[in-house]
Structures are given as C-alpha cells and as structure tokens.
Amino acid sequence: MTGPEHPHRTWLYVPGDRPDRIGKALDSAADAVVLDLEDAVAPDAKETARRTVAGVLAEGRPGRRPAYVRINAPGTPDGTADIGLLASAPGAPAGVRIPKCEDPDMLRRVADALGVPVFPVLESALGVENALALATAHPLVAGISLGEADLSADLRVTGGDALAWPRSRVVVAARAAGLPSPPQSVWTAVRDLDGLRADTAAGHRAGFFGRSVIHPAQIPVVHEACAPDPGDVAWARDLMDRLTGRNGPAREQQAAWIDSDGRFVDKAVVERASWILAVAASAHRPDAPEKEGSPS
C-alpha cells in the first residue's frame, strides 16, 4: 500500500508492448511506473504486451522505479487474461490499477486472485456512486482514483467544473476509507506545462496528491506543484520536534495544547504536520536522471 511515508507524486504510464519505452520509464524520475495493458495497447498487441510485462516483472531489477500494472477491465476477455497472467507470473507488480470499477464484489474477486495491492479506477457514474464501497471492498485496496475521460463521456459533460462533485466524492471516499489522497487523472495537453502546473496545484488544494503522467516532461512540473511550502515544512518540523520532546516538553499524553506561538494544537493538527513532512521527504527523494526520448 502507498502509505503516507512514501506518497507517490507521479505515476508514469508506458505502453506494455514497448520494451524500449518501459526501460526508459523505469529509469526516469517518476515516483512510480504503470505498465499499461489497457488503453495504450492496440487490440492486436495485447498478447505481446502481456508477455513483455511478464518479462519485465520477472527481471525484478532493484533500484528502478516501482512497477505497477494497469489491466484491462475485469469481466472482459483481455481483463481475464491479464489477471490470469499476473496471478501466475514469477514476478509480482507493486500493485495493479483496475479500470472501470463499479462492482465491489468483482473487485474483491480480482483482489483475491491477484494477491497484491489493487487500485480501482472509477470511470462511470455507477463507479462514483459506489466510491466508498469500492474503497473499502477488500484489505488489498490501496488507493482509488478517477478516470476522467471515460467519466466525462459517461456523464455527458464537458469542462473541468462539471467534474467538481465526482472529484470531491473520490477525495472524501479515499480518506473515509483511510486511503492515501487520490492522484489526479492524466493531463492530456502534453505541451501545455503551464496548464499542467496550475491544474495540479488546484487539485492539490482540493485534496488530491500527485497525478498520472504520460510524458517525462510532465514529471518535474508535477513534482514542483506537489512540493510543500518551506514555511509549512519548518512549522511541521518544529511541531513534531516539540511533540517528541526534542525541542521542549513531551506532549504524547496531552490531547490538545497551545504552542509557543499561541496556536491551538490537537490530533488533527499533528496529523497534518506529519503529512507535510512525508510530502517533503518525497520531494527530496533522489530522482534518477531522465533519459532522452519519451517512454510513452
């Protein structure tokens, strides 16, 4: 599970049938790589993609970015084949993104079959309505997110404002289930880095953290947008030092108190400080140099 100690800022998608791009993606600066068996792979290349992904997972080379897999929708022939492959493959992915999730019972069956962390993607009105049920369907559910292109089509809407409610719904469902803040969907205008930066910052303020990306040029922009304010980091570090007694009296036994600056502190404030420090630690995680060329 992607817990608060190591929140992923970027999830770089790469076609599962392109071993050349997969290698570049795994050596990139992304926090996580998603080997895609679904939308990025043509129907006649699905079997090739499965063999390629199985080979990559079997290598298990240490030091590379964690490799996740996005399968095809459960219940489809390709989804069934993907699940069968991953359930029997010699190497296991860090987790599996499951598209078009709507049915908690189906999600439970998939999680049982895979035995690794699963990340349902909500891409329909029914999926959004079942957000909390999907987020709590199985102990292996490690995060939820929206697939906004398919969701927009299903809802027959255009424009970001039309998705304000589904976005809030998935943020609330994730946190209600004790899951990490959900990542945002892909920003498809690859060359519009200013738009990506502004949209990611807005999503961060709305309760999202990080996002899926489809090009290496998007990675540093998302990482920058996810970086906490230095003043917030200094505040959080000072608070945690005081809490543990390194910079003042220990506070473990107190439910709430007033800090040295006259600010009220309770459990929720401490949790926020802990989260800020976790994000700051991610921001200082060493990034591998990006290779020339696009992995996606």
Side-chain angles (χ1 to χ4, degrees), residues 49-162:
R50 277 189 280 272
R51 290 196 300 268
T52 300
V53 167
V56 171
L57 296 177
E59 287 180 7
R61 287 174 55 184
R64 286 182 151 189
R65 294 325 193 207
Y68 296 75
V69 175
R70 178 170 71 171
I71 64 173
N72 289 275
T76 66
D78 281 317
T80 300
D82 295 343
I83 294 167
L85 168 80
L86 295 175
S88 61
V96 176
R97 279 194 168 187
I98 304 174
K100 299 175 176 59
C101 273
E102 297 179 336
D103 181 2
D105 288 333
M106 172 70 80
L107 178 57
R108 280 188 279 272
R109 291 193 293 270
V110 173
D112 283 337
L114 293 173
V116 298
V118 293
F119 298 78
V121 184
L122 286 49
E123 303 185 77
S124 68
L126 181 56
V128 172
E129 281 296 301
N130 288 338
L132 183 59
L134 291 166
T136 57
H138 195 282
L140 284 173
V141 175
I144 61 173
S145 61
L146 290 176
E148 294 192 357
D150 284 353
L151 178 60
S152 295
D154 189 47
L155 295 177
R156 301 173 182 172
V157 301
T158 57
D161 291 345

Side-chain angles (χ1 to χ4, degrees), residues 154-171:
D154 189 47
L155 295 177
R156 301 173 182 172
V157 301
T158 57
D161 291 345
L163 296 180
W165 185 82
R167 288 169 177 164
S168 293
R169 179 67 178 269
V170 77
V171 168

Side-chain angles (χ1 to χ4, degrees), residues 17 22 28 30 34 40 65 102 142 154 186 225 247 259 262 277 287 292:
D17 62 336
I22 290 173
S28 76
V34 183
R65 294 325 193 207
E102 297 179 336
D154 189 47
V186 166
N247 198 20
D259 70 11
L277 293 179
D287 286 337
E292 293 183 1

